[in-house]
Amino acid sequence: MFVDQVTIYVKAGDGGNGIVAYRREKYVPRGGPAGGDGGQGGDVVFEVDEGLNTLMDFRYQRHFKAKRGENGMNQKKHGKNSEALVVPVPPGTTVKNAETGELIADLLEHKQRAVIASGGRGGRGNAKFASARNRAPEISENGTLGDELNVQLELKLLADVGLVGFPSVGKSTFLSTVTAAKPKVADYHFTTLNPNLGVVETKDGRSFVMADLPGLIEGAHEGVGLGHQFLRHVERTRVLLHVIDMSGMEGRDPYDDYVAINHELASYDERLQYRPQIVIANKMDLPGAEENLEAFAEKTKDDELTIYPLSTITRAGIDEILYAVADALDRIPKHVEEEEEPKEDRVLYKFEKEAPAFHITRADDGAYVLYGEKIESLFRKTNFDHDQAVNRFAQQMRSMGVDDALRKRGAENGDTIRLLDFEFEFVDG
């Protein structure tokens, strides 16, 4: 089964906790601090594996979680950093934040890597807090949380040539004729439900990858029919082979088909209207095809099209078409999309202006609720098992302006202050 879009959950490892420990030595207060730092949590990394051509594996495993870092140890031993969790993906995979739609990574080449979720930092042990004023600190930090998010994976085939056209115009038959691919061929619309790939080799030794893509209908750019399932794969192709049923056996006018398909391409992505396009007049062995071709050429003479007649039954015209495609590819650089898209769109993470350190709201029960990324991170890192660590957290909040902000909101002695799942009383000193 071909799967080209899926949403999964990734969670990087949390950082290990630092510890409070002391060594036993004479003349050193309390033996001296010897608590080691926690290890770094593992990243979640996506790596391109050219042996994959579908996202099928992600249909059965949708959760990926890296290991957390080890806690620190005594004798100032650092906890072990966790290795990254490497997830293989097929070439042509784009990774987006499922909630915001922001592009995280665009993975094209074999062995290319991108960090999708960063592991948490290890917390510091009490050895790091020793100072001249505090020779034996009872302070350590917990590790920070690793990133966690839902990401949308979307596969866009890396084919040199894409076959476009209405259903049942002969795209699959053409692909099976010029490659070793064996797509399903039948006399009904939408026989091709999933893209098919094949390698073409011309008689002069040149080769390229061709994709037979699901047939288009009017309104495809809005999702009608196979819609976006088809169009997303066109984006990466370097040359489009526009196959037209010149016999008109479906009761449609070949010129109307040509105009309708190009309208759908341009409506989906304006850049596609400038993509090199070769027109194939297919089914030339059927009655009426010659007359229709003459009429089509007359209507498109202003477009300066080069039209190649084809009959897959008699194989007439195949070599000329393949040579024309190979010549066009020789003139076009690879990775068209990389040149067309601004490089800043490929930045792994976009950092915005720093958010406030904390916010204050009032709960229904009258408690003052503190929240914000910075203050919550500070809270999670604090080891509340030791009084010195608790006092340090209180001092840090005071230096951030929390006490003053609470007073301005009307907080008085004894009022309840809530931060995540922790509650404490406000003391107006």
Side-chain angles (χ1 to χ4, degrees), residues 126-143:
N126 70 328
K128 289 290 177 66
F129 293 95
S131 66
R133 297 179 60 184
N134 190 352
R135 302 285 297 278
E138 288 189 352
I139 302 173
S140 66
E141 288 179 338
N142 296 328

Side-chain angles (χ1 to χ4, degrees), residues 31-257:
D37 300 341
Q40 178 86 7
D43 298 332
V44 177
V45 177
F46 284 6
E47 180 181 76
V48 176
D49 181 350
E50 63 184 5
L52 301 176
N53 55 19
T54 175
L55 299 174
M56 185 65 187
D57 291 345
F58 295 100
R59 292 289 294 271
Y60 303 106
Q61 183 180 356
R62 291 179 180 262
H63 287 72
F64 295 86
K65 186 175 181 180
K67 293 182 178 179
R68 63 170 293 140
E70 288 187 354
N71 293 337
M73 294 168 279
N74 56 16
Q75 298 182 356
K76 299 183 181 179
K77 291 181 180 179
H78 195 289
K80 184 179 179 181
N81 295 333
S82 288
E83 295 183 358
L85 174 63
V86 179
V87 181
V89 296
T93 301
T94 59
V95 186
K96 294 181 179 179
N97 186 310
E99 296 181 3
T100 67
E102 179 187 10
L103 178 68
I104 299 174
D106 195 358
L107 301 167
L108 300 172
E109 300 175 356
H110 184 54
K111 292 299 182 182
Q112 181 182 353
R113 284 189 167 199
V115 177
I116 306 304
S118 297
R121 193 188 69 179
R124 292 177 291 178
N126 70 328
K128 289 290 177 66
F129 293 95
S131 66
R133 297 179 60 184
N134 190 352
R135 302 285 297 278
E138 288 189 352
I139 302 173
S140 66
E141 288 179 338
N142 296 328
T144 61
L145 300 179
D147 294 339
E148 61 177 316
L149 67 159
N150 291 309
V151 295
Q152 183 182 62
L153 307 185
E154 192 174 272
L155 177 61
K156 300 176 183 178
L157 293 179
L158 292 177
D160 299 304
V161 181
L163 293 167
V164 300
F166 270 83
S168 299
V169 296
K171 299 186 300 297
S172 296
T173 302
F174 178 68
L175 181 73
S176 65
T177 302
V178 300
T179 74
K182 301 298 179 185
K184 183 178 180 181
V185 178
D187 58 352
Y188 57 86
H189 289 188
F190 298 109
T191 309
T192 306
L193 296 177
N194 299 304
N196 295 295
L197 287 176
V199 178
V200 180
E201 185 168 355
T202 62
K203 290 182 178 179
D204 59 0
R206 291 178 290 177
S207 63
F208 50 87
V209 178
M210 182 181 292
D212 161 31
L213 303 165
L216 273 173
I217 60 175
E218 292 185 68
H221 70 280
E222 297 175 340
V224 178
L226 296 174
H228 295 163
Q229 179 178 335
F230 159 81
L231 287 165
R232 77 166 62 96
H233 298 297
V234 180
E235 293 180 49
R236 295 203 194 278
T237 55
R238 297 158 59 199
V239 172
L240 299 179
L241 277 184
H242 192 155
V243 184
I244 299 174
D245 178 2
M246 204 54 68
S247 71
M249 62 182 297
E250 294 276 331
R252 300 190 308 267
D253 180 73
Y255 178 73
D256 292 343
D257 283 5

